[in-house]
Short mmCIF file of all heavy atoms in Angstrom, two decimals:
data_model
loop_
_atom_site.label_atom_id
_atom_site.label_comp_id
_atom_site.label_asym_id
_atom_site.label_seq_id
_atom_site.Cartn_x
_atom_site.Cartn_y
_atom_site.Cartn_z
N ILE N 68 196.56 112.92 -15.68
CA ILE N 68 197.20 113.19 -16.94
C ILE N 68 198.61 113.73 -16.80
O ILE N 68 199.50 113.28 -17.48
CB ILE N 68 196.32 114.19 -17.83
CG1 ILE N 68 194.92 113.50 -18.15
CG2 ILE N 68 197.03 114.58 -19.04
CD1 ILE N 68 193.97 114.44 -18.85
N GLY N 69 198.74 114.65 -15.77
CA GLY N 69 200.07 115.16 -15.49
C GLY N 69 201.06 114.07 -15.10
O GLY N 69 202.20 114.05 -15.62
N LEU N 70 200.60 113.20 -14.28
CA LEU N 70 201.46 112.10 -13.74
C LEU N 70 201.83 111.18 -14.90
O LEU N 70 203.05 110.78 -15.03
CB LEU N 70 200.69 111.24 -12.75
CG LEU N 70 201.48 110.15 -12.03
CD1 LEU N 70 202.61 110.79 -11.20
CD2 LEU N 70 200.55 109.35 -11.09
N ALA N 71 200.86 110.87 -15.83
CA ALA N 71 201.16 110.02 -16.98
C ALA N 71 202.24 110.68 -17.89
O ALA N 71 203.16 110.00 -18.35
CB ALA N 71 199.85 109.71 -17.71
N CYS N 72 202.06 111.98 -18.10
CA CYS N 72 202.96 112.68 -19.02
C CYS N 72 204.39 112.73 -18.39
O CYS N 72 205.38 112.47 -19.04
CB CYS N 72 202.52 114.14 -19.27
SG CYS N 72 201.01 114.14 -20.27
N LEU N 73 204.41 112.95 -17.06
CA LEU N 73 205.68 113.05 -16.36
C LEU N 73 206.47 111.72 -16.46
O LEU N 73 207.65 111.68 -16.82
CB LEU N 73 205.46 113.46 -14.91
CG LEU N 73 206.73 113.54 -14.03
CD1 LEU N 73 207.46 114.83 -14.47
CD2 LEU N 73 206.40 113.56 -12.57
N LEU N 74 205.71 110.58 -16.20
CA LEU N 74 206.35 109.31 -16.17
C LEU N 74 206.84 108.96 -17.58
O LEU N 74 207.92 108.41 -17.73
CB LEU N 74 205.36 108.20 -15.71
CG LEU N 74 205.11 108.27 -14.17
CD1 LEU N 74 203.96 107.32 -13.81
CD2 LEU N 74 206.33 107.94 -13.37
N THR N 75 205.98 109.30 -18.61
CA THR N 75 206.39 109.01 -20.00
C THR N 75 207.65 109.79 -20.33
O THR N 75 208.57 109.19 -20.93
CB THR N 75 205.25 109.40 -20.93
OG1 THR N 75 204.04 108.87 -20.45
CG2 THR N 75 205.50 108.97 -22.39
N TRP N 76 207.66 111.03 -19.94
CA TRP N 76 208.86 111.82 -20.20
C TRP N 76 210.10 111.28 -19.54
O TRP N 76 211.16 111.14 -20.22
CB TRP N 76 208.59 113.31 -19.75
CG TRP N 76 209.74 114.21 -19.99
CD1 TRP N 76 210.07 114.79 -21.18
CD2 TRP N 76 210.70 114.65 -19.07
NE1 TRP N 76 211.21 115.55 -21.03
CE2 TRP N 76 211.61 115.54 -19.74
CE3 TRP N 76 210.89 114.40 -17.72
CZ2 TRP N 76 212.68 116.10 -19.10
CZ3 TRP N 76 211.94 115.04 -17.09
CH2 TRP N 76 212.86 115.91 -17.77
N ILE N 77 209.98 110.88 -18.30
CA ILE N 77 211.09 110.33 -17.58
C ILE N 77 211.62 109.08 -18.24
O ILE N 77 212.83 108.99 -18.60
CB ILE N 77 210.75 110.03 -16.09
CG1 ILE N 77 210.55 111.29 -15.31
CG2 ILE N 77 211.86 109.15 -15.44
CD1 ILE N 77 210.03 111.09 -13.92
N VAL N 78 210.75 108.14 -18.56
CA VAL N 78 211.23 106.85 -19.17
C VAL N 78 211.66 107.00 -20.60
O VAL N 78 212.45 106.18 -21.07
CB VAL N 78 210.18 105.68 -18.99
CG1 VAL N 78 210.01 105.37 -17.55
CG2 VAL N 78 208.90 106.03 -19.66
N ALA N 79 211.16 108.01 -21.29
CA ALA N 79 211.57 108.17 -22.68
C ALA N 79 212.90 108.89 -22.79
O ALA N 79 213.83 108.51 -23.53
CB ALA N 79 210.53 108.97 -23.53
N LYS N 80 213.11 109.85 -21.89
CA LYS N 80 214.35 110.73 -21.88
C LYS N 80 215.48 110.03 -21.17
O LYS N 80 216.66 110.16 -21.56
CB LYS N 80 214.13 112.12 -21.35
CG LYS N 80 213.34 113.04 -22.24
CD LYS N 80 214.34 113.69 -23.30
CE LYS N 80 213.52 114.22 -24.40
NZ LYS N 80 213.85 113.71 -25.76
N HIS N 81 215.12 109.45 -20.02
CA HIS N 81 216.18 108.91 -19.17
C HIS N 81 216.18 107.36 -19.13
O HIS N 81 216.49 106.77 -18.11
CB HIS N 81 216.03 109.49 -17.78
CG HIS N 81 216.07 110.99 -17.79
ND1 HIS N 81 217.23 111.69 -17.86
CD2 HIS N 81 215.07 111.86 -17.73
CE1 HIS N 81 216.96 112.96 -17.89
NE2 HIS N 81 215.63 113.15 -17.81
N ASP N 82 215.97 106.79 -20.28
CA ASP N 82 215.97 105.36 -20.41
C ASP N 82 217.29 104.72 -19.96
O ASP N 82 217.34 103.70 -19.29
CB ASP N 82 215.69 105.04 -21.92
CG ASP N 82 215.65 103.52 -22.17
OD1 ASP N 82 215.05 102.78 -21.40
OD2 ASP N 82 216.20 103.13 -23.19
N ASP N 83 218.37 105.47 -20.35
CA ASP N 83 219.75 104.94 -20.05
C ASP N 83 219.99 104.91 -18.52
O ASP N 83 220.75 104.09 -18.07
CB ASP N 83 220.79 105.83 -20.68
CG ASP N 83 220.47 106.08 -22.16
OD1 ASP N 83 219.81 105.22 -22.75
OD2 ASP N 83 220.79 107.20 -22.69
N ALA N 84 219.42 105.88 -17.74
CA ALA N 84 219.69 105.91 -16.35
C ALA N 84 218.97 104.79 -15.58
O ALA N 84 219.38 104.46 -14.44
CB ALA N 84 219.23 107.27 -15.81
N LEU N 85 217.97 104.26 -16.15
CA LEU N 85 217.14 103.23 -15.48
C LEU N 85 217.74 101.82 -15.85
O LEU N 85 218.34 101.69 -16.93
CB LEU N 85 215.72 103.24 -15.89
CG LEU N 85 214.92 104.53 -15.46
CD1 LEU N 85 213.64 104.65 -16.26
CD2 LEU N 85 214.63 104.50 -13.94
N PRO N 86 217.57 100.81 -14.99
CA PRO N 86 217.97 99.44 -15.38
C PRO N 86 217.38 98.99 -16.70
O PRO N 86 216.19 99.25 -16.89
CB PRO N 86 217.51 98.58 -14.18
CG PRO N 86 217.24 99.51 -13.10
CD PRO N 86 216.89 100.83 -13.65
N ALA N 87 218.19 98.36 -17.48
CA ALA N 87 217.68 97.89 -18.83
C ALA N 87 216.80 96.71 -18.58
O ALA N 87 217.11 95.81 -17.81
CB ALA N 87 218.79 97.52 -19.75
N LEU N 88 215.59 96.70 -19.18
CA LEU N 88 214.64 95.57 -18.99
C LEU N 88 214.58 94.67 -20.22
O LEU N 88 214.04 93.59 -20.15
CB LEU N 88 213.23 96.13 -18.71
CG LEU N 88 213.08 97.10 -17.55
CD1 LEU N 88 211.60 97.48 -17.32
CD2 LEU N 88 213.63 96.50 -16.24
N PHE N 89 215.22 95.17 -21.34
CA PHE N 89 215.19 94.36 -22.57
C PHE N 89 216.62 94.22 -23.14
O PHE N 89 217.34 95.16 -23.13
CB PHE N 89 214.24 94.95 -23.58
CG PHE N 89 212.86 94.43 -23.50
CD1 PHE N 89 211.93 95.01 -22.56
CD2 PHE N 89 212.33 93.40 -24.27
CE1 PHE N 89 210.65 94.59 -22.42
CE2 PHE N 89 211.04 92.91 -24.14
CZ PHE N 89 210.20 93.52 -23.19
N VAL N 90 216.95 93.02 -23.65
CA VAL N 90 218.17 92.79 -24.37
C VAL N 90 218.06 93.24 -25.79
O VAL N 90 219.02 93.84 -26.35
CB VAL N 90 218.74 91.43 -24.24
CG1 VAL N 90 219.29 91.10 -22.89
CG2 VAL N 90 217.63 90.36 -24.56
N ASP N 91 216.95 92.94 -26.39
CA ASP N 91 216.68 93.50 -27.71
C ASP N 91 215.17 93.77 -27.82
O ASP N 91 214.57 93.92 -26.75
CB ASP N 91 217.07 92.39 -28.82
CG ASP N 91 216.45 91.05 -28.51
OD1 ASP N 91 215.40 91.01 -27.79
OD2 ASP N 91 217.06 90.03 -28.90
N GLN N 92 214.52 93.83 -28.98
CA GLN N 92 213.13 94.13 -29.00
C GLN N 92 212.26 93.03 -28.46
O GLN N 92 211.03 93.23 -28.22
CB GLN N 92 212.70 94.46 -30.44
CG GLN N 92 213.17 95.87 -30.85
CD GLN N 92 212.50 96.32 -32.14
OE1 GLN N 92 211.74 95.60 -32.79
NE2 GLN N 92 212.76 97.52 -32.58
N ILE N 93 212.73 91.84 -28.33
CA ILE N 93 211.91 90.67 -27.95
C ILE N 93 212.26 90.17 -26.54
O ILE N 93 211.32 89.95 -25.71
CB ILE N 93 212.19 89.48 -28.92
CG1 ILE N 93 212.06 89.98 -30.39
CG2 ILE N 93 211.25 88.32 -28.61
CD1 ILE N 93 210.64 90.16 -30.87
N GLY N 94 213.52 90.01 -26.12
CA GLY N 94 213.90 89.31 -24.93
C GLY N 94 214.05 90.18 -23.72
O GLY N 94 214.50 91.25 -23.76
N PHE N 95 213.46 89.63 -22.55
CA PHE N 95 213.61 90.31 -21.25
C PHE N 95 215.00 90.16 -20.66
O PHE N 95 215.73 89.19 -21.00
CB PHE N 95 212.67 89.65 -20.23
CG PHE N 95 211.18 89.82 -20.51
CD1 PHE N 95 210.71 90.46 -21.65
CD2 PHE N 95 210.21 89.34 -19.56
CE1 PHE N 95 209.35 90.56 -21.86
CE2 PHE N 95 208.95 89.43 -19.77
CZ PHE N 95 208.50 90.08 -20.92
N THR N 96 215.38 91.09 -19.80
CA THR N 96 216.60 90.89 -18.97
C THR N 96 216.13 90.35 -17.67
O THR N 96 214.91 90.28 -17.42
CB THR N 96 217.37 92.25 -18.72
OG1 THR N 96 216.47 93.07 -18.00
CG2 THR N 96 217.78 92.93 -20.08
N VAL N 97 217.07 90.00 -16.75
CA VAL N 97 216.67 89.53 -15.43
C VAL N 97 215.89 90.59 -14.70
O VAL N 97 214.99 90.35 -13.90
CB VAL N 97 217.96 89.19 -14.60
CG1 VAL N 97 217.56 88.24 -13.47
CG2 VAL N 97 218.97 88.51 -15.46
N TRP N 98 216.35 91.91 -14.93
CA TRP N 98 215.67 92.97 -14.27
C TRP N 98 214.17 93.11 -14.61
O TRP N 98 213.41 93.58 -13.73
CB TRP N 98 216.36 94.35 -14.68
CG TRP N 98 217.45 94.67 -13.70
CD1 TRP N 98 218.79 94.50 -13.86
CD2 TRP N 98 217.26 95.23 -12.41
NE1 TRP N 98 219.47 94.87 -12.70
CE2 TRP N 98 218.56 95.36 -11.82
CE3 TRP N 98 216.19 95.69 -11.70
CZ2 TRP N 98 218.78 95.91 -10.51
CZ3 TRP N 98 216.43 96.21 -10.43
CH2 TRP N 98 217.68 96.33 -9.84
N ALA N 99 213.83 92.76 -15.80
CA ALA N 99 212.37 92.86 -16.21
C ALA N 99 211.58 92.02 -15.23
O ALA N 99 210.53 92.53 -14.68
CB ALA N 99 212.19 92.35 -17.58
N ASN N 100 211.97 90.83 -14.93
CA ASN N 100 211.22 89.96 -14.11
C ASN N 100 211.23 90.44 -12.62
O ASN N 100 210.25 90.30 -11.90
CB ASN N 100 211.64 88.49 -14.21
CG ASN N 100 211.45 87.93 -15.60
OD1 ASN N 100 212.29 88.18 -16.46
ND2 ASN N 100 210.30 87.32 -15.83
N ARG N 101 212.37 91.01 -12.26
CA ARG N 101 212.43 91.55 -10.90
C ARG N 101 211.47 92.70 -10.70
O ARG N 101 210.76 92.79 -9.66
CB ARG N 101 213.84 92.08 -10.64
CG ARG N 101 214.80 90.91 -10.26
CD ARG N 101 216.17 91.46 -9.99
NE ARG N 101 217.18 90.43 -10.07
CZ ARG N 101 218.44 90.67 -10.29
NH1 ARG N 101 218.92 91.89 -10.44
NH2 ARG N 101 219.27 89.67 -10.34
N VAL N 102 211.44 93.62 -11.70
CA VAL N 102 210.62 94.84 -11.57
C VAL N 102 209.17 94.45 -11.61
O VAL N 102 208.32 94.94 -10.87
CB VAL N 102 210.92 95.87 -12.66
CG1 VAL N 102 209.96 97.01 -12.65
CG2 VAL N 102 212.35 96.32 -12.50
N THR N 103 208.78 93.53 -12.53
CA THR N 103 207.30 93.12 -12.58
C THR N 103 206.92 92.30 -11.33
O THR N 103 205.75 92.32 -11.01
CB THR N 103 206.98 92.29 -13.83
OG1 THR N 103 207.89 91.21 -13.98
CG2 THR N 103 207.05 93.22 -15.10
N SER N 104 207.90 91.73 -10.66
CA SER N 104 207.54 90.99 -9.43
C SER N 104 206.98 91.95 -8.39
O SER N 104 206.15 91.62 -7.56
CB SER N 104 208.70 90.19 -8.85
OG SER N 104 209.65 91.04 -8.35
N MET N 105 207.52 93.20 -8.37
CA MET N 105 207.05 94.23 -7.53
C MET N 105 205.60 94.58 -7.81
O MET N 105 204.77 94.71 -6.98
CB MET N 105 207.97 95.51 -7.67
CG MET N 105 207.54 96.71 -6.88
SD MET N 105 208.56 98.09 -7.32
CE MET N 105 208.01 98.46 -8.97
N ASP N 106 205.27 94.73 -9.11
CA ASP N 106 203.92 94.94 -9.58
C ASP N 106 203.02 93.78 -9.08
O ASP N 106 201.90 94.00 -8.62
CB ASP N 106 203.86 94.91 -11.07
CG ASP N 106 204.25 96.28 -11.70
OD1 ASP N 106 204.68 97.20 -10.95
OD2 ASP N 106 204.08 96.50 -12.91
N PHE N 107 203.57 92.56 -9.22
CA PHE N 107 202.79 91.38 -8.85
C PHE N 107 202.45 91.40 -7.39
O PHE N 107 201.32 91.16 -6.98
CB PHE N 107 203.62 90.08 -9.19
CG PHE N 107 203.02 88.84 -8.71
CD1 PHE N 107 201.86 88.31 -9.29
CD2 PHE N 107 203.58 88.18 -7.58
CE1 PHE N 107 201.28 87.16 -8.82
CE2 PHE N 107 203.01 87.01 -7.16
CZ PHE N 107 201.86 86.46 -7.74
N ILE N 108 203.40 91.73 -6.55
CA ILE N 108 203.22 91.68 -5.11
C ILE N 108 202.15 92.75 -4.70
O ILE N 108 201.21 92.49 -3.95
CB ILE N 108 204.50 91.98 -4.32
CG1 ILE N 108 205.44 90.73 -4.44
CG2 ILE N 108 204.28 92.27 -2.80
CD1 ILE N 108 206.90 90.98 -4.04
N ILE N 109 202.21 93.94 -5.32
CA ILE N 109 201.27 94.99 -4.99
C ILE N 109 199.86 94.59 -5.45
O ILE N 109 198.86 94.88 -4.75
CB ILE N 109 201.73 96.35 -5.61
CG1 ILE N 109 203.00 96.80 -4.90
CG2 ILE N 109 200.63 97.36 -5.48
CD1 ILE N 109 203.64 97.98 -5.49
N SER N 110 199.80 93.96 -6.61
CA SER N 110 198.45 93.57 -7.10
C SER N 110 197.79 92.46 -6.24
O SER N 110 196.64 92.42 -6.02
CB SER N 110 198.46 93.20 -8.57
OG SER N 110 199.25 92.01 -8.78
N VAL N 111 198.68 91.56 -5.68
CA VAL N 111 198.14 90.53 -4.79
C VAL N 111 197.66 91.18 -3.55
O VAL N 111 196.59 90.85 -3.01
CB VAL N 111 199.28 89.50 -4.41
CG1 VAL N 111 198.82 88.64 -3.27
CG2 VAL N 111 199.59 88.64 -5.66
N ALA N 112 198.41 92.22 -3.04
CA ALA N 112 197.99 92.94 -1.90
C ALA N 112 196.61 93.64 -2.18
O ALA N 112 195.74 93.66 -1.32
CB ALA N 112 199.03 94.05 -1.47
N ALA N 113 196.49 94.19 -3.38
CA ALA N 113 195.23 94.88 -3.73
C ALA N 113 194.05 93.85 -3.71
O ALA N 113 192.95 94.19 -3.23
CB ALA N 113 195.35 95.51 -5.14
N LEU N 114 194.32 92.65 -4.26
CA LEU N 114 193.27 91.65 -4.29
C LEU N 114 192.83 91.26 -2.85
O LEU N 114 191.72 91.08 -2.56
CB LEU N 114 193.79 90.39 -5.09
CG LEU N 114 192.72 89.28 -5.29
CD1 LEU N 114 191.53 89.78 -6.12
CD2 LEU N 114 193.37 88.07 -6.02
N MET N 115 193.89 91.15 -1.99
CA MET N 115 193.56 90.80 -0.56
C MET N 115 192.77 91.89 0.08
O MET N 115 191.79 91.61 0.79
CB MET N 115 194.83 90.52 0.19
CG MET N 115 195.31 89.07 0.02
SD MET N 115 197.04 88.87 0.35
CE MET N 115 197.11 89.42 2.03
N ALA N 116 193.17 93.14 -0.13
CA ALA N 116 192.48 94.30 0.50
C ALA N 116 191.01 94.33 0.04
O ALA N 116 190.11 94.55 0.83
CB ALA N 116 193.19 95.59 0.11
N LEU N 117 190.85 94.07 -1.26
CA LEU N 117 189.48 94.07 -1.89
C LEU N 117 188.62 92.97 -1.31
O LEU N 117 187.49 93.09 -0.98
CB LEU N 117 189.65 93.96 -3.35
CG LEU N 117 188.53 94.41 -4.21
CD1 LEU N 117 188.15 95.84 -3.95
CD2 LEU N 117 188.85 94.14 -5.70
N TRP N 118 189.30 91.74 -1.16
CA TRP N 118 188.57 90.56 -0.66
C TRP N 118 188.08 90.81 0.75
O TRP N 118 186.99 90.42 1.12
CB TRP N 118 189.57 89.37 -0.74
CG TRP N 118 188.86 88.13 -0.34
CD1 TRP N 118 188.87 87.53 0.87
CD2 TRP N 118 188.14 87.27 -1.22
NE1 TRP N 118 188.15 86.34 0.91
CE2 TRP N 118 187.59 86.19 -0.42
CE3 TRP N 118 187.69 87.37 -2.54
CZ2 TRP N 118 186.89 85.18 -0.96
CZ3 TRP N 118 186.95 86.32 -3.04
CH2 TRP N 118 186.56 85.23 -2.26
N LEU N 119 188.94 91.49 1.60
CA LEU N 119 188.58 91.72 2.98
C LEU N 119 187.43 92.78 3.07
O LEU N 119 186.62 92.74 4.03
CB LEU N 119 189.80 92.15 3.80
CG LEU N 119 190.86 91.08 3.95
CD1 LEU N 119 192.06 91.68 4.70
CD2 LEU N 119 190.31 89.88 4.78
N ARG N 120 187.46 93.71 2.20
CA ARG N 120 186.53 94.84 2.31
C ARG N 120 185.29 94.72 1.43
O ARG N 120 184.45 95.56 1.42
CB ARG N 120 187.21 96.21 1.95
CG ARG N 120 188.34 96.54 2.86
CD ARG N 120 187.84 97.04 4.19
NE ARG N 120 186.85 98.16 4.11
CZ ARG N 120 186.96 99.26 4.73
NH1 ARG N 120 187.99 99.49 5.53
NH2 ARG N 120 186.10 100.16 4.56
N ARG N 121 185.21 93.67 0.70
CA ARG N 121 184.14 93.53 -0.39
C ARG N 121 182.76 93.64 0.23
O ARG N 121 182.46 92.92 1.24
CB ARG N 121 184.31 92.31 -1.21
CG ARG N 121 183.97 91.01 -0.56
CD ARG N 121 184.34 89.85 -1.45
NE ARG N 121 183.69 88.64 -1.06
CZ ARG N 121 184.05 87.92 -0.05
NH1 ARG N 121 185.02 88.32 0.77
NH2 ARG N 121 183.39 86.82 0.28
N ARG N 122 181.91 94.49 -0.32
CA ARG N 122 180.54 94.70 0.18
C ARG N 122 179.62 94.91 -1.04
O ARG N 122 178.48 94.38 -1.02
CB ARG N 122 180.48 95.92 1.04
CG ARG N 122 180.71 95.61 2.48
CD ARG N 122 180.61 96.85 3.35
NE ARG N 122 181.53 97.89 2.76
CZ ARG N 122 181.98 98.95 3.39
NH1 ARG N 122 181.56 99.22 4.61
NH2 ARG N 122 182.75 99.83 2.82
#
Side-chain angles (χ1 to χ4, degrees):
Chain N
I68 294 173
L70 186 63
C72 291
L73 181 72
L74 288 173
T75 308
W76 180 77
I77 290 173
V78 294
K80 281 282 162 238
H81 303 282
D82 181 43
D83 312 331
L85 296 162
L88 303 184
F89 271 83
V90 283
D91 52 25
Q92 284 195 356
I93 309 284
F95 292 3
T96 63
V97 199
W98 268 100
N100 297 84
R101 280 181 199 158
V102 174
T103 51
S104 71
M105 176 186 72
D106 280 8
F107 172 71
I108 290 165
I109 292 173
S110 65
V111 169
L114 186 60
M115 275 159 59
L117 201 58
W118 185 265
L119 293 175
R120 296 287 305 233
R121 72 188 198 284
R122 270 179 307 197

